[in-house]
Amino acid sequence: MPLLVFMTLPGLVILLTALAFVDQLMLRAGRAGLLPWRNSARQGQISATGFEQLHATFSPGKQSELKERQSALLLRDDEEDGAPPNRTLVDLEGGKAVVRLPRG
């Protein structure tokens, strides 16, 4: 019977709230490594992930946000993608910007 309660929407919210409480309690006690979903490299609030997924179930906008966040994690961020070094100079106090075009 208790398993059947957690298969309903209110039961799922109760279960997520209980897991969030345990997660935060163990994190503040310094024993977060004992939890199976925590390791030494993982920092931050894991409990928020479950609530975001629940929110995404009922909100198409949240689904789009989570997909965009996932795709942003997969994109590379190269140093070379920005402006080339030593070609631009911006003086905010003087109100001047200098851009040197490459020769060639």
Side-chain angles (χ1 to χ4, degrees), residues 36-70:
W37 57 85
R38 286 263 186 197
N39 58 19
S40 60
R42 174 73 184 183
Q43 297 295 324
Q45 295 190 2
I46 293 181
S47 55
T49 305
F51 287 111
E52 282 185 343
Q53 292 297 327
L54 182 65
H55 184 202
T57 304
F58 301 108
S59 174
K62 187 66 171 183
Q63 289 176 354
S64 300
E65 178 187 335
L66 292 177
K67 286 181 185 177
E68 180 67 28
R69 194 181 304 168
Q70 184 67 25

Side-chain angles (χ1 to χ4, degrees), residues 74-92:
L74 297 176
L75 295 175
R76 286 182 26 183
D77 189 22
D78 291 335
E79 292 283 330
E80 297 86 31
D81 289 346
N86 301 325
R87 286 193 187 166
T88 60
L89 175 67
V90 178
D91 182 13
L92 295 177

